[in-house]
Amino acid sequence: MTTEAVALIPEPAPAPSLEVVPDPPTEVTIAEIAAGVTAALVEAWNAVRARHPDVPEAVITMATGGRESAMKLAHFEPRRWRLREGDAVHHEVFVTAESLRGGAEEVFGHLLHEAVHAICEARGIEDCSASQYHNKKFRDAAAELGLRQQADISAYFKKKYGFAGTEPTDETKAAYAEQITALDEAIRATRVPSFLATRTRGGGGGVADGDADAGSEAGEDEGPAPKKEKDKEDRNYIKAVCQCTPPAVIRVSPKTLERRNIMCGDCMENFALEQSG
């Protein structure tokens, strides 16, 4: 009797199921917040340059301004960055993190304001004095780039800073709507400012800390004023008010108010001498 061998071939094993890998998170992490704002500022600057080719390239940065944040929301500095290879230098446009509290339209207005300084630098135009008085040449260049003078600027501000109080026109905001929207989406947090210059001594005297006559500003060459002069200055404090309704009031020496920009943390405007009547 013939015996046949039968080979049993097992059924092929099913393919192993692939492990489900979740998509990477799409939300911006805390560590990326500042980077997102900077990227949006860079795109906005490039858009300005596309419309106004005379606006030069610049290194765009964004961080806290420290004590400077009580005085500046942005700045333009010519030839501050040097490439590691070669001798090429580039301008700097700096936007403080504290300015983000004003919202995307206001931040874009600060950026466009610095673009005016940049285009004047490129054209060899003296548009601003060392004391930050913005002259008529700045005013004209600002109009060219789509800025207008704010209507509610105080007489004190105009006297000290000239035509510095700018804001984008409605047409400008419409032209850069895409960039302003991108900025708005990137501003996921704002920095709480530390206005050291407006901290008060004691329990409510309202005297501006960092008084120039007290010699507290680091790096100043002048030493403390003689005691007799200091006492005389103390007896002549004046009232200064902000633009809030009702305004906040501080008492400060005339010399300090002249030499320092003291900003209100609510209305983001400088304190100015109270007008009588």
Side-chain angles (χ1 to χ4, degrees), residues 41-234:
L41 290 170
V42 170
E43 290 300 320
W45 186 265
N46 290 338
V48 173
R49 294 191 65 235
R51 289 178 175 272
H52 304 279
D54 283 358
V55 174
E57 290 185 305
V59 176
I60 312 298
T61 64
M62 195 281 296
T64 175
R67 289 204 64 171
E68 279 267 286
S69 65
M71 297 178 282
K72 291 183 178 180
L73 299 174
H75 75 216
F76 168 78
E77 291 286 349
R79 298 172 296 281
R80 278 301 183 94
W81 289 75
R82 184 181 301 277
L83 297 183
R84 293 182 65 181
E85 297 181 2
D87 296 326
V89 291
H90 293 283
H91 309 312
E92 173 184 82
V93 172
F94 182 90
V95 176
T96 66
E98 288 78 6
S99 70
L100 303 182
R101 300 177 73 206
E105 283 190 2
E106 190 170 307
V107 172
F108 180 78
H110 300 325
L111 189 72
L112 198 56
H113 180 109
E114 304 312 321
V116 178
H117 288 303
I119 201 170
C120 287
E121 170 68 24
R123 295 172 176 176
I125 297 174
E126 292 289 341
D127 65 337
C128 184
S129 69
S131 61
Q132 298 304 304
Y133 184 89
H134 294 53
N135 59 31
K136 292 182 179 180
K137 294 179 180 178
F138 174 87
R139 177 200 62 187
D140 296 342
E144 178 184 342
L145 265 64
L147 292 172
R148 64 188 173 197
Q149 295 294 310
Q150 297 178 20
D152 57 349
I153 294 297
S154 68
Y156 172 82
F157 184 95
K158 290 180 180 178
K159 181 178 180 181
K160 187 168 185 178
Y161 298 110
F163 299 98
T166 59
E167 63 182 2
T169 65
D170 292 339
E171 293 79 6
T172 301
K173 288 185 285 189
Y176 293 102
E178 181 179 346
Q179 288 72 36
I180 294 173
T181 298
L183 264 173
D184 183 63
E185 293 174 351
I187 300 175
R188 296 173 177 265
T190 60
R191 189 177 191 276
V192 178
S194 299
F195 293 119
L196 301 181
T198 59
R199 294 173 64 182
T200 57
R201 299 190 185 106
V207 181
D209 200 6
D211 192 325
D213 303 315
S216 62
E217 183 73 8
E220 289 194 357
D221 295 333
E222 57 183 340
K227 187 177 187 302
K228 184 177 180 181
E229 295 182 9
K230 179 64 168 61
D231 291 340
K232 181 178 179 181
E233 191 72 30
D234 285 344

Side-chain angles (χ1 to χ4, degrees), residues 9-32:
I9 301 175
E11 294 289 334
S17 60
L18 297 177
E19 181 182 356
V20 178
V21 179
D23 293 332
T26 57
E27 293 185 1
V28 175
T29 65
I30 298 299
E32 297 174 302

